[in-house]
Amino acid sequence: NVTLDFPRGSFTAIVGESGCGKSTLASLLMGKNTGFAGSLTLGGIPLEEISQESLLKAVAYIGHQSYLFKGTVRENLAMACPEATDEAMWAVLEQVKLDTLLQERGANLSGGQCQRLALARGLLHEGPIYIFDEATSNMDADSENHIVSLIQALAGKKTVIMISHRLAS
């Protein structure tokens, strides 16, 4: 018996203990969990009537274990926005403070750096909705504060849902 409304351009934080259903909610919003009771709509359209392709264009999901694809940083960023210019790619990498030489498969990246690359990829996405699911969990406090500021700055322009187990985030 949960009712949630995420108005366009809003910032919503969902905070709770591990295992309380925060990531399950994100999975529901991304159309990954089906067979639930009740209804879920996006812009007034029932989620089951929205194609997976349209949903992925509308919603950028950045999780705590975002996948980095084999290839270059450019190829990883282009997954979010194939037509992105070099300037746009450099801009998001600067925003997340990621200026690191990359070894094959990102073998030399820390967990926090992998999350920064995933965040940069998400920032290139031009959809109206962003879901950040524990997207700063592997970062030190200073990096997390910087990234949280970037996420908060999206609100007003985009609908932002930030999931965390830390209230301070």
Side-chain angles (χ1 to χ4, degrees):
N1 293 327
V2 175
T3 300
L4 299 170
D5 184 26
F6 304 105
R8 183 181 301 239
S10 66
F11 179 91
T12 304
I14 299 172
V15 183
E17 297 176 357
S18 295
C20 73
K22 301 177 306 292
S23 294
T24 300
L25 176 62
S27 292
L28 286 167
L29 295 172
M30 291 299 301
K32 294 178 183 176
N33 288 8
T34 58
F36 56 88
S39 65
L40 185 58
T41 62
L42 181 62
I45 302 168
L47 195 64
E48 61 272 7
E49 294 178 16
I50 300 172
S51 72
Q52 188 66 26
E53 181 181 349
S54 294
L55 189 59
L56 291 174
K57 285 182 182 177
V59 182
Y61 173 84
I62 300 96
H64 64 284
Q65 293 180 327
S66 293
Y67 187 80
L68 297 182
F69 299 92
K70 182 178 179 180
T72 65
V73 170
R74 170 181 259 294
E75 291 167 337
N76 270 270
L77 292 176
M79 299 238 166
C81 184
E83 64 279 355
T85 64
D86 286 346
E87 292 78 21
M89 289 185 183
W90 280 114
V92 295
L93 289 171
E94 287 173 10
Q95 283 181 307
V96 300
K97 297 183 178 181
L98 183 62
D99 186 13
T100 303
L101 292 174
L102 195 59
Q103 292 179 357
E104 185 174 339
R105 297 181 141 188
N108 64 316
L109 294 182
S110 68
Q113 289 171 315
C114 289
Q115 281 188 304
R116 286 172 190 244
L117 182 51
L119 282 162
R121 186 172 55 208
L123 290 172
L124 274 177
H125 185 80
E126 285 301 316
I129 303 166
Y130 284 78
I131 299 173
F132 296 94
D133 186 5
E134 300 285 0
T136 60
S137 62
N138 289 323
M139 294 183 187
D140 60 79
D142 287 338
S143 296
E144 180 178 11
N145 290 337
H146 174 73
I147 297 302
V148 168
S149 295
L150 288 174
I151 292 170
Q152 289 172 336
L154 284 173
K157 298 175 251 173
K158 308 288 183 178
T159 301
V160 177
I161 301 166
M162 183 171 176
I163 297 170
S164 178
H165 66 273
R166 290 193 304 245
L167 187 56
S169 297

